[in-house]
Amino acid sequence: MRLIRFFTLCLLILAAFVFAKTITVGTSADFPPFEYIENGQFVGFDMDLMREIAKLANLELKFVDMSFDSLIPALRAGQIDVAAAAMTITDERRQVVDFSKPYWTADQSIIVKADSDLTITVLFQKGKIGVQTGTTGDLWCTDNLVGKGLLPEKNLKRYDTFVLALSDLLNGNIDAIVLDSPVGNRFAAVKPVKVVGVIVTGEQYGIVVKKGNKELLDKINSALEVLIETGKMAELIDKYF
Ligand code: GLN
């Protein structure tokens, strides 16, 4: 009897080591090359980065797709454990969630249809500009164009996803989109759009966890260090950029 109890205990301890903990990773999969869906799979730099972190930290991942502005509320409500969504580290966001070490630097870019001849001066005063709700592109346009009285508020159109913004740009419903420069470059390479200007913001991306989730954040940060040291990070950059 005692022997059975002993073996059961050993088995339980072993199971705790062998079975990885599953964490839920929220993303907004409309942001190539960082996160997008291909053949029904979550792919992109951030998705692979999370998969590499998970291997090192003995975690299982479950990805969920949502609008970008739902990610922080979902983290705070405990519906997701991590947000991996090319999210810029900002002071406002830092007050409500915790960020990993920075893993990417970007600017904002302005994209227009490939055959457009609208200049930035015209766009920023009378253009119809699309942004994704709650992104740093939205914040920049709100503060610097609408807030300074340059662009009428009604000319700034906020979208849940870039898929919708892009189709409105291609249909001629809006004149430009302001978005992160790596994604603007990717859209310009694969869609009939071009980059007409860059706003240097030097923003940095971090992986996001619920405020105070130090255990998970420590695992993510140590894994990031290992990925940089082992050259795995460079490999992922090569794969997607
Ligand atoms: N980096 C931008 C931000 O954090 C946009 C991110 C995104 O749209 N996925 O606001």
Side-chain angles (χ1 to χ4, degrees), residues 140-214:
W140 190 89
C141 292
T142 303
D143 291 351
N144 295 286
L145 302 181
V146 178
K148 299 222 165 100
L150 260 180
L151 187 78
E153 167 85 62
K154 65 170 178 35
N155 286 32
L156 186 63
K157 201 157 176 229
R158 297 185 174 89
Y159 293 88
D160 273 350
T161 69
F162 278 115
V163 175
L164 298 173
L166 206 59
S167 77
D168 258 9
L169 182 67
L170 297 175
N171 292 335
N173 292 331
I174 54 172
D175 303 308
I177 300 176
V178 174
L179 80 174
D180 292 20
S181 50
V183 182
N185 292 341
R186 178 53 52 98
F187 283 151
V190 298
K191 305 267 179 195
V193 299
K194 63 182 178 191
V195 176
V196 281
V198 171
I199 305 154
V200 180
T201 54
E203 51 202 276
Q204 293 189 303
Y205 300 165
I207 296 167
V208 204
V209 299
K210 190 176 185 174
K211 195 141 203 66
N213 192 351
K214 190 174 176 313

Side-chain angles (χ1 to χ4, degrees), residues 11-234:
L11 218 64
L12 284 175
I13 294 172
L14 195 72
F17 277 104
V18 172
F19 295 113
K21 190 179 169 206
T22 300
I23 59 161
T24 308
V25 179
T27 193
S28 186
D30 60 349
F31 216 54
F34 293 98
E35 38 267 338
Y36 53 106
I37 307 244
E38 208 171 63
N39 305 323
Q41 300 288 319
F42 285 90
V43 289
F45 181 82
D46 287 342
M47 305 294 93
D48 279 3
L49 185 61
M50 276 315 301
R51 289 185 180 105
E52 293 302 328
I53 291 172
K55 273 190 223 160
L56 291 167
N58 191 30
L59 297 167
E60 288 287 336
L61 302 181
K62 179 176 167 247
F63 287 104
V64 289
D65 194 16
M66 56 182 74
S67 66
F68 183 78
D69 65 331
S70 303
L71 288 166
I72 289 185
L75 267 178
R76 298 183 75 189
Q79 290 156 356
I80 57 174
D81 302 293
V82 168
M87 195 181 285
T88 301
I89 305 168
T90 68
D91 288 342
E92 284 81 10
R93 291 173 181 163
R94 252 205 198 119
Q95 284 172 15
V96 290
V97 287
D98 286 337
F99 283 92
S100 70
K101 302 168 192 294
Y103 66 89
W104 202 267
T105 304
D107 295 311
Q108 291 295 306
S109 66
I110 306 133
I111 59 168
V112 294
K113 258 173 99 167
D115 57 5
S116 162
D117 50 14
L118 293 171
T119 62
I120 295 180
T121 324
V122 173
L123 284 170
F124 280 180
Q125 292 182 26
K126 319 193 224 278
K128 283 195 205 123
I129 313 253
V131 290
Q132 188 179 32
T133 310
T135 56
T136 42
D138 179 5
L139 298 177
W140 190 89
C141 292
T142 303
D143 291 351
N144 295 286
L145 302 181
V146 178
K148 299 222 165 100
L150 260 180
L151 187 78
E153 167 85 62
K154 65 170 178 35
N155 286 32
L156 186 63
K157 201 157 176 229
R158 297 185 174 89
Y159 293 88
D160 273 350
T161 69
F162 278 115
V163 175
L164 298 173
L166 206 59
S167 77
D168 258 9
L169 182 67
L170 297 175
N171 292 335
N173 292 331
I174 54 172
D175 303 308
I177 300 176
V178 174
L179 80 174
D180 292 20
S181 50
V183 182
N185 292 341
R186 178 53 52 98
F187 283 151
V190 298
K191 305 267 179 195
V193 299
K194 63 182 178 191
V195 176
V196 281
V198 171
I199 305 154
V200 180
T201 54
E203 51 202 276
Q204 293 189 303
Y205 300 165
I207 296 167
V208 204
V209 299
K210 190 176 185 174
K211 195 141 203 66
N213 192 351
K214 190 174 176 313
E215 194 191 334
L216 185 54
L217 194 61
D218 285 348
K219 284 184 185 166
I220 293 173
N221 277 332
S222 334
L224 280 175
E225 261 171 40
V226 174
L227 294 173
I228 292 167
E229 276 163 24
T230 56
K232 191 76 208 174
M233 185 74 132

